[in-house]
Amino acid sequence: MSLALELSGVRKRYGKTVALDGLDLRVERGTMLGLVGPNGAGKTTTFGIISGALRADAGKVDVLGGGTFDPRQQAGALGVLPQDCALNPHSSARQLLTFFARLQGLGRVDARRDADRLLEAMRLTDRAGARVGQLSHGMKRRLAVAQALVGDPKLVLLDEPTGGLDPHLVVDMRELLLAEKRKRTLIVSSHILSDLEQTCDRIAFLEQGRCIEEGAVESMRAAIGRVRVRFARPPSEAERDALRAILGERLESTSDREATYVLDPSEVIEEVAPAILAELMAAGLPVLEVGVGGTLEEAYLVSRHRLGES
Amino acid sequence: MSSEPATKNLLRDALVIAAFDLGESLRSRKVLVFMVLYVVGAIGATVIFTELLQEVEIALAEQLLVARTSDPGSLTQAVMESPELLRVLSGLVRDEDLARTLVGRPPIALLYHWVALAFGPIFAILTSSDTIATEVSTGSIRFALARTDRAGWLLGKVFGQSLLLFVGLVLGAVGAWVTGWIQLGAFDASATAAALVGYVGTAFVYVWAHLGLALGVSQLTRSVPWSRALGLLALVAVFGIHRFFERDWVVEAVPVLSGSLRQLFPVAHRLDLWRPGFEASVPALALLLALGCSYIALGYVRFARRDA
């Protein structure tokens, strides 16, 4: 297994505040990992330490197998979107991207070409000559994401890439991230779990400076004892009655599009799900698909709940 | 991207950052305002000087019983070689030989040099003492530190701000030359230009030492107001402490110590920059460069270890 990132026992304090309390994290090359946690969980500090902007008090940091990130030894290998950091305001969007591409190690012509490519990808071509300080918040955010991808880095850290974006731009950003997936290792932090659920391969839950759970998105969702039934059309009243009869007390919720069944601890999901599907089909319900497990949000809440209990 | 990355090293990164930093500085209103103020100040001083020169020339013409002139500069040589001026100048530089040399230099160039040495350090502190603190406080440094190390980034900033300083001093010199050419009837254009070129060089090194002070201070804090305040405080301190070690009773009490410590402040080497000939001013220039580098390095000791 080739690792893009390995953090072992990383600690960081700001005065009396403990930001990272022995963080362990391993990220395989080529995966897209989502970092989830409340404010103050240590996500931004983690990114700062990986990129070398912050100094860890203790622990081991190994970026792309080269130890603590050294921009000279690992030239052009890392792209970072830090949170709440202002881009230099007096240059144009194109000048700024070209500058970062040059620092990434590209020659003058290639840097300009890569800057234009990313401006186009971010739908900023018509504002390429505008000063960064004159761009709207959403445009600045897109430009900041673009600079993280400039120069084709192997590892990209994106701290809240969709923060403050309009809904349609969030969709664009999600598509962009999906397109970038597999080309490089991506680590993304976000409070919008549904975005991470759709884009990431793996998720790490951070809490109080530690990783409390890490795993594949699908297995995390599957671990939530639920069967989800999606309908092709809203079921009629008779069909709803049949649904209630089949699923009984364990029917958690129902809507025009979906019904959720909560598993009893004694039930095995691999056996229950096909049985439920068969019964619903036999009753003539308009079943589109049956999925197992909960949402990432539910997995996160369960994980936090377990932490609270422990 | 299929292209091979260009060779990446410390100097290349520093030059890329310097070019970008110079552009950003020139595009920012704050630096532009300070630069315009400096250049206008240099030109204004030249205008006042030429007016004064005309008054002196008229008085001298009356004394010498020659025809009055409305053409300033026509009696410049006579004024410059007058015993009164020589006496005043000798008192100022405390060196009669140097005073004799100076009165032979083009007056506009002398004035430019005086203005640059007097106000250049303030210009450097005002434009550069928040350079690094600003990038740390806004977080924009984090975009760069993923691509170059702190030494490369700092070196780029030093180059960029040095270029900015050079541009300011050159514009001031051009302004002084043009003003002299317009104002003075008997203006020795080539001699003045040649003298100005030399003085731009010496003024640059002297002011650069103060730029080093500004950039050293700027690495100590992430607070922009603190950085500016510390820059001004450092400027006052280097002049004040040097002045303290110049006091007669201090010199008498600890002659070696005061003489040695004075060398740590740029102002101690200012007079040597007036000496004609490259060889005469080389030790002072070398010391000033070393002082500027030392101030930057002292700041870097903190900057290299801190969070950015």
Side-chain angles (χ1 to χ4, degrees):
Chain A
M1 182 175 68
S2 174
L3 291 177
L5 176 71
E6 184 175 14
L7 305 178
S8 305
V10 175
R11 294 178 189 279
K12 177 70 182 173
R13 295 175 76 100
Y14 300 109
K16 289 181 179 173
T17 308
V18 178
L20 294 182
D21 188 15
L23 176 68
D24 296 314
L25 192 65
R26 291 154 70 89
V27 184
E28 279 183 58
R29 282 182 197 247
T31 58
M32 182 168 173
L33 174 86
L35 273 188
V36 177
N39 290 328
K43 303 184 295 291
T44 299
T45 300
T46 303
F47 281 169
I49 285 174
I50 296 168
S51 63
L54 303 178
R55 307 297 198 200
D57 297 331
K60 181 188 154 198
V61 180
D62 187 354
V63 180
L64 297 164
T68 306
F69 179 65
D70 179 348
R72 203 153 306 288
Q73 296 297 323
Q74 296 164 297
L78 183 67
V80 182
L81 167 69
Q83 196 186 29
D84 300 330
C85 289
L87 293 162
N88 304 66
H90 304 297
S91 303
S92 72
R94 180 180 281 125
Q95 283 170 331
L96 194 66
L97 282 186
T98 306
F99 165 62
F100 286 134
R102 297 272 287 135
L103 272 189
Q104 201 76 6
L106 298 186
R108 203 180 296 271
V109 176
D110 287 338
R112 172 71 184 244
R113 191 184 303 139
D114 206 31
D116 284 343
R117 174 183 71 83
L118 284 160
L119 285 168
E120 194 179 337
M122 293 292 166
R123 299 190 188 181
L124 287 170
T125 303
D126 59 332
R127 303 288 287 156
R131 281 192 182 198
V132 174
Q134 294 169 342
L135 299 178
S136 68
H137 175 78
M139 288 175 181
K140 281 181 193 159
R141 200 69 191 151
R142 280 182 279 158
L143 185 63
V145 173
Q147 68 74 37
L149 298 170
V150 84
D152 201 20
K154 291 177 187 153
L155 173 63
V156 174
L157 314 175
L158 302 173
D159 201 350
E160 300 284 352
T162 54
L165 290 184
D166 292 337
H168 71 283
L169 293 174
V170 171
V171 175
D172 281 358
M173 191 64 75
R174 199 162 53 217
E175 282 172 8
L176 177 96
L177 292 181
L178 283 169
E180 290 296 322
K181 207 170 159 180
R182 311 284 171 236
K183 290 184 195 167
R184 62 194 93 245
T185 308
L186 288 156
I187 304 178
V188 185
S189 96
S190 176
H191 288 291
I192 307 171
L193 299 191
S194 57
D195 277 354
L196 295 181
E197 193 170 355
Q198 290 176 58
T199 51
C200 293
D201 307 305
R202 298 181 75 82
I203 295 288
F205 295 145
L206 261 59
E207 192 78 35
Q208 296 167 8
R210 280 175 294 153
C211 179
I212 56 171
E213 194 168 350
E214 193 274 336
V217 174
E218 284 311 312
S219 63
M220 278 190 165
R221 288 178 56 197
I224 302 296
R226 282 176 174 76
V227 176
R228 296 179 176 281
V229 181
R230 283 187 64 202
F231 303 121
R233 57 165 172 76
S236 64
E237 272 310 308
E239 286 167 339
R240 281 178 196 270
D241 289 343
L243 183 72
R244 277 191 280 271
I246 293 165
L247 301 183
E249 287 180 355
R250 307 212 72 81
L251 177 63
E252 186 184 52
S253 63
T254 179
S255 69
D256 285 352
R257 295 219 160 268
E258 195 176 80
T260 312
Y261 174 84
V262 183
L263 258 68
D264 183 90
S266 62
E267 293 177 309
V268 179
I269 202 160
E270 287 80 4
E271 294 169 4
V272 173
I276 288 175
L277 176 63
E279 283 191 66
L280 295 178
M281 296 293 280
L285 269 99
V287 177
L288 182 66
E289 66 176 9
V290 172
V292 295
T295 61
L296 189 60
E297 195 173 273
E298 286 162 341
Y300 173 59
L301 292 175
V302 167
S303 189
R304 285 197 80 186
H305 182 68
R306 264 193 240 121
L307 179 74
E309 281 180 343
S310 67
Chain B
M1 296 291 296
S2 56
S3 321
E4 283 296 309
T7 312
K8 195 167 147 61
N9 56 45
L10 184 83
L11 189 63
R12 178 193 178 274
D13 281 359
L15 292 174
V16 169
I17 292 166
F20 181 77
D21 186 57
L22 179 66
E24 273 275 307
S25 295
L26 290 175
R27 283 187 287 266
S28 84
R29 277 195 202 125
K30 188 198 92 179
V31 171
L32 207 62
V33 165
F34 284 137
M35 190 174 281
V36 167
L37 278 177
Y38 174 75
V39 173
V40 167
I43 292 170
T46 312
V47 170
I48 293 168
F49 176 73
T50 52
E51 296 289 337
L52 194 71
L53 196 64
Q54 188 176 19
E55 293 297 320
V56 173
E57 283 181 0
I58 290 167
L60 189 71
E62 282 171 355
Q63 243 183 11
L64 298 175
L65 298 174
V66 295
R68 273 179 168 223
T69 174
S70 59
D71 198 10
S74 55
L75 286 175
T76 302
Q77 206 52 38
V79 172
M80 294 300 282
E81 286 169 2
S82 65
E84 288 78 13
L85 184 67
L86 189 62
R87 200 175 61 243
V88 170
L89 214 52
S90 298
L92 281 174
V93 300
R94 297 176 195 170
D95 185 334
E96 200 172 324
D97 288 339
L98 177 59
R100 277 184 203 289
T101 315
L102 288 179
V103 296
R105 309 281 284 171
I108 294 293
L110 289 178
L111 179 78
Y112 165 79
H113 202 209
W114 180 82
V115 169
L117 297 188
F119 298 105
I122 301 169
F123 171 68
I125 293 286
L126 289 176
T127 53
S128 302
S129 62
D130 61 357
T131 301
I132 290 158
T134 300
E135 298 235 1
V136 175
S137 72
T138 61
S140 57
I141 187 176
R142 291 195 179 193
F143 295 106
L145 287 187
R147 300 175 164 103
T148 187
D149 58 15
R150 294 174 193 221
W153 186 80
L154 177 65
L155 196 61
K157 287 284 165 187
V158 172
F159 285 172
Q161 294 300 301
S162 303
L163 280 170
L164 181 70
L165 173 65
F166 187 70
V167 169
L169 288 172
V170 168
L171 286 179
V174 170
W177 187 90
V178 171
T179 310
W181 182 62
I182 293 168
Q183 292 275 101
L184 296 175
F187 179 66
D188 190 341
S190 56
T192 303
L196 278 171
V197 167
Y199 283 153
V200 164
T202 51
F204 174 77
V205 176
Y206 178 72
V207 182
W208 190 84
H210 294 87
L211 178 72
L213 188 67
L215 292 173
V217 161
S218 192
Q219 296 174 73
L220 301 179
T221 173
R222 65 166 57 232
S223 158
V224 174
W226 262 112
S227 185
R228 287 176 186 157
L230 279 175
L232 288 170
L233 204 66
L235 185 65
V236 172
V238 294
F239 278 94
I241 297 171
H242 175 263
R243 193 95 184 102
F244 172 76
F245 285 119
E246 261 191 340
R247 297 223 166 225
D248 290 344
W249 64 271
V250 177
V251 174
E252 280 171 21
V254 278
V256 177
L257 185 68
S258 70
S260 305
L261 289 177
R262 274 208 309 270
Q263 304 306 308
L264 299 177
F265 304 103
V267 67
H269 310 284
R270 187 165 59 179
L271 195 59
D272 291 335
L273 302 179
W274 288 99
R275 296 188 193 288
F278 192 56
E279 323 78 62
S281 53
V282 160
L285 293 172
L287 275 167
L288 284 166
L289 287 172
L291 281 177
C293 290
S294 304
Y295 296 145
I296 294 167
L298 282 174
Y300 185 69
V301 169
R302 161 106 178 99
F303 180 60
R305 286 166 174 72
R306 62 181 284 197
D307 291 337

